[in-house]
Amino acid sequence: MIKIYKKNFLKAIITIAITVLYCSCSEPKSNDSLIFTKLTCNYKENPTAIEDQHPLFSWQLDSEEFNKSQSAFHILVASSKEKLNEEDADKWNSGKILKSTSSFVKYNGEPLEALHTYYWKVHIWDEDENLSKWSSIQQFNMGLIDMKNWGSSAWITLNEDKRTSPHQYRDYKTGKMSKPTAVKGFAASYFRNEIDVTKEIESAKAYICGLGYYELYLNGSKVGDHVLDPAPSNYDKQAYYVDYDLTDILEPGTNALGIILGNGFYGQNISWKNDPESEKDLSYGQPSVKLLIKVTYTDGQEAEFYTDDTWKESTGPIVFNNIYGGDTYDARHEITGWNTVGFNDQDWSNPKIATPELRTISAQQIPAIKKLKELEPKEVFKGADGEWIVDFGQNIAGWVKLNVQEKEGQLVQVITTEALLTDGSDIFKGSTGGGANGMPQVYEYICKGNEPESWEPKFSYHGFRYAKVKGVSSKPNADMIKAVLVATDINETGSFTSSDELFNKMHSISKWTIVDNLHGIPEDCPHREKCGWLGDSHAFAEYALYNYDMHDFYSKYMEDIRTQMRPTKGHNNPDIKFQVPTMIAPGKRTSTYAKIDWGVATMYLPWYSYRYYGDETIVKEYYKEMKELTNFYLSFKDENGIMQDGMGDWCPPLWDRRLNPSAMETDPIISANAYFYDVLGIMGTFAKMNDDAAFEAQMKEEKDSLKNAFNKAYLKNIPNTEHKWYQSQTATVQALQFGMVPENDIQKVVNGLAYNITEVKGGHHATGIHGNRYIYTVLTKYGKEDLAYDILTTPEFPSQTYVMNSGFTTWPERQFEWEKMEGPTNSLNHPMHSGFAAYFYESLGGIKSSKDKPGYKEFIVDPKFPKQVSHTEVSVPTPYGAIDSKWSLENGKFDMELSVPFNTTALLPLNENEKNSLKINGTDWQTFQQEPISNNEVRLGSGTYKISYKK
């Protein structure tokens, strides 16, 4: 009995111990130091109109500890906050998922319903299986999703043009016309209606789609702060609606709704009509608008209000509007109170119901265009003709804001330009004076008289620094006129500064040139063309990604490229048609099919999105189109293995397509094939991501074949030297950048490039947009940091510093010797020339995402810099948080402060001497480093570090 008792007692003790151990193991330890800092759905915080059944969740955390990462996560999604727990989550309870992924996690739950709000939260386990607290509760609203959810809402359009103002006309004249002709375009429409709200409101939301730019009003006040809404698109295939929350501004009882509708790009039926690169009529038709308001009352009942033929219409004081020419506002035709309750609209007629050609309407996901900044005059002086000229000090995109007091009927005319004549005596109209598009940039305001009047345009934007003001009785000042920067309100997330003020100024100019050219699409310029040229878009994309949140912007632009595609015959096999974009997207100004070096934007933009954000969805979404376009370009292959297609290294020094074509030293075929080689490698990666083994193998074969053919055709010895090159700076830079140079020839080719720059070109670049994007990065990579600095900072033509010294505040399209000209011709605001400034981040800052773990899950920190730069500070945005790096070099000692975000790893390449003197947070690296150094590369997990070594 005693033995049995002892045995049972022992058994009981063991059982209790196991139970205690089990319980302690099954109850994870918590880690309160893990703090959620940002949570997004589809890369937006609490988005209001998701139209995807599989939204993507991302989260960022912070911790005071070092080397912290995620080992697992658990997401809950529910239809109400009350159900957002592990027992009741009715949409998705992911359970514990053993993945380190913390960005772009795909929803995998129950179907999501249109117009519903859903709530979500997440918690994670760290590398030691410690559990964080639940994140704060987030939400996302579903959009309309389907056309049927617009209910009874109808498209309405102006039934009758009742404009009577003589100022409704403008002169239209292109270079080939002997005299101007009077044009007026579609009238701006004013629509109104009154609705009754009968109960207490729980929520109210408006959904509006304008085919043309619109502004929505409620009870006399504009709804929201958007301007130039919605973003341009291929309207016959894809249009965008915008949603507004009216809950706090819709009033009990009667409310007045108003809409002003302008032409935008949709109704632009004047400019470019005679252009050989455009369709006969660039308009998609007369502008129309559709509005739906959904109201939920506190008792659960719902009501809908919408546009239909019971609304009222009129024309008004906006008597002319054209996206290129500008707005004309005749204040004598103002309609006081037209958008307020009780307005007498008996003289107004009813609108016409429209049936526009349109395939899809979806929610606009990119940031809206907004008024971002006001600029006051820097200088005001009289021009040669005695009229006032205002210098705002900065070339911008936007409009002017006027405050005037003049007699009734007085015409105040503001002519906006980018430049003055070289002698400074007057404005130089240049690309803002009409020319190819036929419409000079002019704003016109006709006074109603007797009192101060304020006005700013609604339906056009210009590119300008200067404004000639006519028709005012006093000298313009900051009270009378301001310039307003108007652009897509992208979030600036990165930063760069250095010890070199020239570099800092180049960085500023590069950013200005990009911001000025974002108006729902990446434009080539904000005045003459306003077009999304594909080659320009990929030329500056990486620099934009270092500085701004471009995730949604480039996703939207890929929609524009897709909807711009059209059947195009293969070159060597014309019996086969491929879907191919045009040189421009979106819109009816198309040019020709996209040549290789322009069309590769179709592959580069998803590639950059994948590299910089780690988002695979854009790759999978457009894989079919990218694959087909790759096959189209392969149809240009000749018997020597070279694709016989290309546009060229656009705008190198002194180049003019008609007057000096030979200044483009790079054969367009060579630069296009270099790009295509890089793209073949990208497409191999994309094929692997899409489980397309056959195409992956084909891409490897094509890439190897093109490399051999390219080197056989273009790699040449430079006479009387030991050097080699590819017959131009640009081609040589591309070959080095893309890894096309045979291993044993790399140093000879690097020396060949340096030889041409120094000995042949006298210390200058000879590159256009393709070569200039990479030349400074390539020289720096191969030990020519000082040469990169020299060609950037030489004050003599051509160089970036020469451009700055010429007084430009944005990068001009052309590289000319400006002081020798009457005035600076062509566009003075072209972001394709901002691409080179990625050098500031990828070389001076040394921050690049690894190829194996994109989206900065793993990243390289390897600053390389000329002797003239003694310190640099960069912040690089990532899906995990900002990478902050600040380094300095003094007396041979290199010091760096580095912040590595949670769940990421930094790789620091070091040579043997650097490694031997390395200290991390004041400690020898051997003591601090938790992992052994391999390939002379230090690996650092999350945390903030002070790093020093002898250089």
Side-chain angles (χ1 to χ4, degrees), residues 52 250 269 279 298 392 415 489 517 603 647 689 716 793:
D52 185 354
L250 200 61
N269 61 352
E279 297 185 19
T298 54
F392 293 104
I415 303 167
D489 188 21
N517 285 280
M603 297 77 157
M647 184 72 175
M689 293 168 62
K716 304 294 182 182
T793 59

Side-chain angles (χ1 to χ4, degrees), residues 77-84 89-91 116-119:
V77 182
S79 58
S80 69
K81 290 182 181 179
E82 292 73 24
K83 292 182 178 179
L84 194 62
D90 56 342
K91 303 311 291 185
H116 280 239
T117 300
Y118 296 102
Y119 303 88

Side-chain angles (χ1 to χ4, degrees), residues 332-344:
R332 298 169 298 177
H333 293 267
E334 285 182 347
I335 314 168
T336 303
W338 71 274
N339 51 13
T340 61
V341 173
F343 174 78
N344 185 353

Side-chain angles (χ1 to χ4, degrees), residues 755-806:
Y755 172 84
N756 182 264
I757 293 169
T758 57
E759 301 302 321
V760 180
K761 297 298 181 183
H764 294 278
H765 73 267
T767 51
I769 62 171
H770 299 334
N772 220 45
R773 160 61 187 94
Y774 300 114
I775 187 170
Y776 314 106
T777 298
V778 163
L779 286 170
T780 298
K781 177 182 178 180
Y782 289 103
K784 304 290 184 180
E785 301 96 327
D786 293 343
L787 180 56
Y789 181 88
D790 290 344
I791 59 177
L792 273 169
T793 59
T794 180
E796 290 90 24
F797 174 85
S799 75
Q800 308 302 133
T801 297
Y802 168 82
V803 174
M804 295 192 302
N805 289 346
S806 298

Side-chain angles (χ1 to χ4, degrees), residues 346-414:
Q346 287 187 346
D347 293 336
W348 288 38
S349 53
N350 297 109
K352 181 168 56 178
I353 300 300
T355 54
E357 180 183 354
L358 175 62
R359 187 186 304 164
T360 304
I361 309 174
S362 56
Q364 179 168 287
Q365 302 295 345
I366 66 171
I369 298 172
K370 296 183 180 181
K371 295 186 286 185
L372 301 180
K373 186 176 183 179
E374 291 187 356
L375 288 77
E376 295 186 351
K378 296 293 185 184
E379 184 182 2
V380 179
F381 59 95
K382 283 191 175 181
D385 60 357
E387 301 288 355
W388 291 110
I389 296 173
V390 180
D391 177 6
F392 293 104
Q394 174 63 50
N395 200 7
I396 69 163
W399 53 61
V400 295
K401 182 178 181 180
L402 290 177
N403 289 288
V404 296
Q405 186 171 1
E406 303 292 344
K407 65 184 180 181
E408 182 182 353
Q410 177 66 45
L411 170 64
V412 178
Q413 193 176 62
V414 181

